[in-house]
């Protein structure tokens, strides 16, 4: 019995998988519930065309538009997700539900956040993941809105319908099982580590871009970890699945596509990573992987690029229409669908060959030859009998269809998404930058920047925003939305950044003696962080990590006369949390040049219990202080005088009669440091003579 592709789609052809047996079935309204353990895979892709205010279904197997639903009043840039029986048109302020069998609008729902979500068309779904708000909406049965507790990264999905999420603020790795309404978080990423989630052989895997490793995890926590073999930045874009056992990762900073062999997760021999040089300036959408093909979009050239798992380019296809950020989606039919900015063109990527076919949705809207005949029927062969199952659809009012498909007069629409949104963290702050959004017929009047816990608005001619008052140590993702007279367009988000407080500079002092140099400092303002250690750097010496506030250098190599730098290293959160390097405090390590040089000329008695030391002090022209002490003082303070040249210093030595020996020590210091001490031991000469100028009295001993 012949049937058209229109009626096949409207009857919801789906591939039904049970164990290893493939079954073809029909998901029509009024049918009995699906048996447990069975799973529907949806065919094709829905796209919303703002000019015609209509959602169109593109059949990837025929590259034809075979169904449409009129949806007046939907904002431009809306996404369309499909489930087993319903389609969902997702706007920032509304989710419109339509029946895929009757192609009629059923109801509308209110989303949990005014941001553009990640759409997942998977078993048990579809799902909408609101990354900044940390909310997951399941539109399938049973419908639910599940809080994640904080912002999340790009999700990953395993074959059983479980959605896996990475909390970017806490590092928790969480699972939302199919049909569940509560997240479970069995694993925790170490603080300070960045990464992305993917699926390898139907297992969730963390791509740790800090450790450059693949790490398996499941409901029991982390499993094996294997090296990536490449150095990835935190900005790496990771495919959510593999192609022929290789994981595709885009390094936008170096314009490179890495194809990483994942065999090591099963302890099999690992092939070397494949590196592909990409065109463009580092602005890419994707990568998206099918069974054998990797797809990404060069946003600078507005081109779709496809590669096989060995890195060979399969095709380069221009995206028709206005430049912007095309939207990529992997269909459950193992094809990749690329929408241009206004939904007028859909590029269908063959998941096996990498070839690309462009479907002109606007032309199909003008050409009503594919419109379903009144009273048409849909038949699909049974898995056991050739007799068809028939679903009769209601007649279509031809007059209404005509009015709905008449293209409106050209008018301005809401702007497109801003390009290349990036964020740079500071101290309790971040700077967000973006490329201008396509205006779509009317000047952009404002950009709205939002994050979990706040938002701000800047003028349409501004393409950056400095955001203050952010919480240090907390991950932030920023979304930018453009607005013109027609409304707000879709948003684009930055990667996750963590603001960190920067400790102030310590006050540093350096002194030098003939025994070495000593560096001391004060504890600075740590700006709310916890001190990890101080980083002390001196040319010619290894860097030091010191927990106290002083350190000594006994080797002078490359040190004397150099600038020593001390910074406080702080962290935010428990051990292992992100750290911040404080502002530098500095001091010059004094050289031996300019230090005082002292020696004894002689010592004589000046009566019982009193000696006169004649000393020679070379103070290099700097004010210098001398301290004369003796063992016989038994802990009393030394005599302290200003000194320079040859002079006499008197010191009391109580209890020592002339004719007995005394022990004297002379220290001197100036702004350059301390002299090498001079010592004298012996029996002082009888009193008289000297010729040197006298200094010092026993006044220093008055308190004895």
């Amino acid at each position: 019995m012949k049937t058209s592709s229109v009626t096949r789609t409207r009857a919801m052809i789906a591939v039904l998988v049970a164990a290893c047996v493939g079954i073809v079935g029909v998901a029509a309204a009024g049918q009995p519930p699906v048996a447990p353990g069975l799973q529907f895979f949806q065919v094709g892709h829905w796209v919303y065309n703002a000019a015609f205010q209509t959602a169109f279904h593109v059949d990837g197997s025929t590259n034809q538009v075979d169904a449409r639903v009129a949806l007046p009043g939907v904002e431009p840039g809306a996404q369309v997700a499909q489930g087993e029986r319903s389609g969902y048109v997702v706007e920032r302020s509304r989710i419109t539900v339509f029946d895929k069998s009757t192609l009629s609008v059923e109801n509308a729902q209110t989303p949990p956040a005014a941001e553009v979500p990640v759409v997942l068309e998977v078993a048990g779904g579809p799902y909408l993941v609101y990354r900044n708000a940390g909310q997951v909406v399941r539109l399938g049965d049973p419908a639910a809105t599940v809080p994640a507790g904080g912002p999340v990264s790009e999700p990953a999905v395993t074959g059983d319908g479980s959605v896996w999420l990475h909390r970017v603020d806490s590092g928790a790795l969480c699972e939302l099982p199919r049909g569940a309404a509560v997240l479970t978080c069995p694993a925790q990423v170490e603080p300070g580590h960045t990464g992305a989630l993917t699926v390898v052989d139907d297992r969730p895997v963390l791509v740790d871009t800090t450790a450059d490793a693949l790490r398996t995890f499941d409901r029991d926590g982390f499993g094996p970890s294997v090296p990536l073999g490449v150095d990835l930045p935190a900005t790496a874009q990771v495919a959510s699945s593999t192609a022929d056992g290789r994981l595709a990762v885009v390094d936008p900073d170096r314009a490179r596509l890495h194809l990483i062999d994942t065999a090591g997760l099963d302890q099999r021999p690992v092939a070397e990573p494949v590196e592909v040089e990409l065109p463009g300036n580092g602005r890419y959408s994707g990568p998206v992987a099918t069974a054998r093909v990797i797809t990404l979009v060069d946003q600078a050239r507005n081109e779709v690029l496809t590669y096989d798992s060995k890195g060979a380019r399969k095709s380069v296809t221009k995206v028709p229409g206005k430049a912007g950020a095309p939207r990529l989606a992997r269909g459950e039919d193992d094809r990749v669908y690329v929408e241009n900015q206004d939904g007028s063109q859909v590029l269908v990527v063959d998941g096996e060959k990498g070839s690309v076919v462009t479907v002109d949705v606007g032309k199909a809207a003008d050409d009503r030859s594919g419109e379903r005949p009144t009273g048409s029927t849909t038949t699909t062969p049974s898995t056991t009998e050739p007799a068809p199952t028939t679903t009769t659809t209601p007649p279509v009012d031809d007059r209404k269809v005509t009015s709905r498909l008449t293209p409106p007069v050209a008018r301005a629409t809401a702007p497109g998404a801003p390009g290349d949104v990036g964020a740079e963290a500071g101290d309790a702050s971040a700077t967000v930058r973006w490329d201008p959004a396509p205006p779509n017929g009317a000047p952009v009047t404002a950009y709205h920047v939002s994050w979990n816990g706040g938002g701000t608005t800047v003028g349409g001619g501004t393409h950056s925003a400095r955001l203050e008052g952010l919480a240090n140590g907390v991950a932030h993702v920023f979304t930018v939305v453009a607005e013109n007279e027609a409304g707000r367009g879709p948003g684009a988000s930055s990667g996750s950044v963590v603001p960190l407080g920067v400790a102030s500079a310590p006050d540093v002092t350096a002194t030098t003696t003939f025994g070495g140099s000593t560096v001391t400092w004060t504890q600075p303002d740590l700006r709310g962080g916890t001190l990890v250690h101080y980083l002390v750097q001196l040319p010619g010496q290894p860097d030091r990590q010191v927990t106290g506030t002083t350190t000594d250098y006994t080797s002078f190599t490359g040190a004397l006369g150099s600038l020593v730098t001390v910074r406080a290293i702080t962290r935010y959160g428990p051990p292992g949390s992100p750290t911040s390097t404080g502002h530098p405090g500095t001091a010059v390590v004094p050289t031996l040049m300019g230090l005082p040089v002292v020696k004894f000329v002689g010592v004589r008695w000046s009566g019982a219990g009193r000696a006169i030391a004649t000393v020679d002090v070379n103070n290099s022209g700097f004010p210098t202080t001398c301290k004369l002490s003796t063992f016989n003082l038994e802990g009393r303070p030394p005599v302290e005088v200003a000194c320079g040249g040859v002079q006499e210093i008197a010191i009391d030595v109580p209890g020592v009669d002339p004719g007995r020996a005394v022990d004297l020590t002379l220290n001197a210091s100036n702004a350059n440091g301390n002299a090498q001490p001079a010592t004298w031991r012996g029996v002082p000469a009888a009193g008289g003579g000297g010729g040197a100028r006298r200094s010092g009295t026993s006044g220093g001993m008055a308190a004895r």
Side-chain angles (χ1 to χ4, degrees):
M1 194 175 170
K2 292 185 176 180
T3 59
S4 69
S5 60
V6 177
T7 53
R8 283 199 304 272
T9 302
R10 289 176 178 174
M12 303 175 63
I13 291 180
V15 178
L16 187 59
V17 176
C20 297
V21 181
I23 308 171
V24 178
V26 178
Q31 294 294 319
V34 178
L38 300 183
Q39 178 176 316
F40 284 94
F41 289 102
Q42 308 304 318
V43 175
H45 177 74
W46 286 88
V47 59
Y48 180 72
N49 185 298
F52 291 92
Q53 300 188 51
T54 298
F56 296 92
H57 184 266
V58 176
D59 185 342
S61 63
T62 64
N63 298 315
Q64 298 291 324
V65 173
D66 58 6
R68 64 195 73 189
V69 179
L71 294 156
V74 172
E75 65 184 20
Q79 302 180 86
V80 185
Q82 63 174 331
E84 293 179 2
R85 293 177 173 80
S86 300
Y88 306 86
V89 182
V90 182
E91 306 173 68
R92 297 174 67 89
S93 60
R94 177 178 57 181
I95 302 171
T96 304
V97 185
F98 64 87
D99 187 285
K100 289 171 61 179
S101 177
T102 64
L103 300 179
S104 59
V105 174
E106 293 183 321
N107 57 62
Q109 305 170 8
T110 301
E115 65 178 86
V116 178
V118 177
V119 174
L120 302 175
E121 291 184 342
V122 295
Y127 292 88
L128 307 178
V129 179
Y130 293 85
R131 291 181 53 194
N132 291 325
Q135 299 283 340
V136 182
V137 176
R138 181 172 52 243
L139 297 171
D141 187 19
T145 297
V146 182
V152 297
S153 65
E154 289 283 342
V157 184
T158 45
D160 60 359
S162 290
V163 177
W164 294 87
L165 303 167
H166 175 205
R167 280 273 304 276
V168 296
D169 54 349
S170 68
L173 297 175
C174 304
E175 177 192 17
L176 180 62
R178 180 174 179 174
V182 178
L183 287 172
T184 58
C185 301
Q188 182 80 28
V189 181
E190 293 87 343
H193 282 235
T194 59
L197 296 184
T198 189
V199 172
V200 178
D201 294 332
D202 206 30
R203 296 170 295 179
V205 172
L206 172 70
V207 182
D208 189 328
T209 55
T210 301
D212 289 324
L214 294 174
R215 307 177 65 185
T216 61
F217 65 97
D218 54 23
R219 295 176 179 90
D220 297 322
F222 278 114
S225 175
V226 298
L228 286 169
V230 295
D231 182 16
L232 293 180
T235 56
Q237 300 166 211
V238 181
S240 62
S241 61
T242 58
D244 277 337
R246 283 191 178 262
L247 178 64
V249 181
V250 170
D251 181 346
D253 301 338
R254 299 181 179 89
R256 294 288 187 272
L257 170 65
H258 298 284
L259 300 173
I260 300 166
D261 188 3
T262 60
L265 293 174
D266 295 318
Q267 299 182 342
R268 293 183 283 117
V270 178
E272 289 294 322
V274 175
E275 183 179 285
V276 180
E277 184 174 352
L278 297 175
N281 60 357
R283 291 175 51 198
Y284 307 99
S285 298
V288 175
T290 59
R292 300 188 183 283
V293 173
I294 295 100
T295 303
L296 56 94
V297 172
D298 177 354
Q299 294 182 20
R301 290 175 170 79
N302 212 34
E303 293 176 339
V304 174
L305 311 176
T306 63
Y307 299 86
D308 65 17
S309 60
K310 297 179 181 178
R313 184 182 292 180
K314 305 299 290 183
S315 66
V316 179
T317 308
K318 198 74 176 179
V319 180
K322 296 180 179 179
R327 182 179 293 149
L328 286 78
R330 177 180 174 175
E332 292 189 76
D333 52 7
D334 203 39
R335 295 181 177 87
V336 177
Y337 295 87
V338 183
E339 304 174 17
N340 72 344
Q341 192 173 32
D342 58 9
S344 64
Q345 307 283 338
V346 174
L347 283 70
V348 182
V349 180
D350 187 297
E352 288 285 331
K353 302 176 182 178
S355 58
V356 180
V357 175
T358 301
V359 178
D360 191 329
V361 177
K363 183 177 182 300
D366 288 330
D367 180 7
R368 295 181 50 225
S369 61
E371 188 66 30
R372 178 179 56 193
T374 300
S376 63
T377 61
T378 298
T379 61
T380 301
S382 169
T383 58
T384 56
E385 298 293 339
T389 300
T390 302
T391 300
T392 302
T393 56
V396 176
D397 187 332
D398 191 64
R399 293 170 298 176
K400 291 183 179 179
V401 172
T402 301
S403 64
R404 288 170 183 166
L405 295 182
T406 301
V409 177
R411 60 182 177 84
T413 59
D420 199 19
V421 178
E424 180 180 351
D427 182 357
S429 66
T431 300
V432 183
R433 295 182 175 86
W434 59 89
D435 289 344
N440 291 348
V444 174
T445 56
Y447 287 98
H448 304 279
V449 184
S450 62
W451 62 95
N452 186 28
T456 189
T457 299
V458 298
T462 302
H463 303 124
S464 66
R466 170 78 175 179
L467 309 175
E468 305 282 355
L470 303 179
N472 279 330
V474 177
H476 292 73
V477 175
F478 302 95
T479 298
V480 183
V481 174
E483 182 179 13
N484 64 9
E485 64 181 22
R488 296 190 184 187
S493 298
S494 69
S496 175
V497 297
V498 180
L500 298 175
V502 179
S504 62
D507 293 327
V508 183
T509 302
T511 59
T512 297
T513 68
F514 285 91
S517 298
T518 298
V519 181
T520 60
W521 56 89
T522 60
Q523 177 172 304
D525 180 0
L526 301 181
R527 299 281 295 151
T530 300
L531 179 68
V532 178
H533 58 257
Y534 293 99
L535 176 63
V536 185
Q537 296 172 304
L538 183 63
Q541 301 289 323
D543 290 354
R544 295 186 178 184
Q545 296 180 358
V546 182
T547 56
T549 56
T550 184
T551 188
D552 294 319
Y553 290 90
T554 57
S555 171
F556 294 106
T557 303
L560 299 181
S562 299
L563 195 69
V564 62
T565 302
V566 182
R567 295 177 173 89
I569 308 299
T570 55
R571 62 173 166 81
Y572 291 80
S577 298
T579 60
S580 172
T581 301
H583 293 291
T586 60
V588 175
V589 178
T591 65
L592 288 175
M593 295 180 60
L595 293 178
V597 178
V598 298
K599 64 180 180 180
F600 283 94
V601 176
V603 180
R604 60 183 174 83
W605 287 110
S606 178
R610 185 175 179 85
I612 303 293
T614 303
V615 300
D616 186 357
V617 181
N618 181 357
N619 61 12
S620 299
F622 294 93
T624 299
T625 299
C626 287
K627 294 181 181 180
L628 180 64
S629 59
T630 178
F631 175 80
N632 305 81
L633 288 178
E634 298 179 350
R636 289 182 175 85
V639 175
E640 184 173 330
V641 297
C643 57
V646 178
Q647 66 187 72
E648 291 183 345
I649 305 175
I651 184 169
D652 290 338
V653 284
V656 181
D657 297 326
R660 295 181 57 188
V662 296
D663 290 291
L664 297 177
T665 300
L666 178 65
N667 290 282
S669 62
N670 61 20
N672 299 309
N674 299 321
Q676 181 76 13
T679 59
W680 190 93
R681 186 178 189 282
V683 178
R693 66 184 178 88
R694 300 173 180 270
S695 65
T697 66
S698 61
M701 311 296 294
R704 55 186 174 165

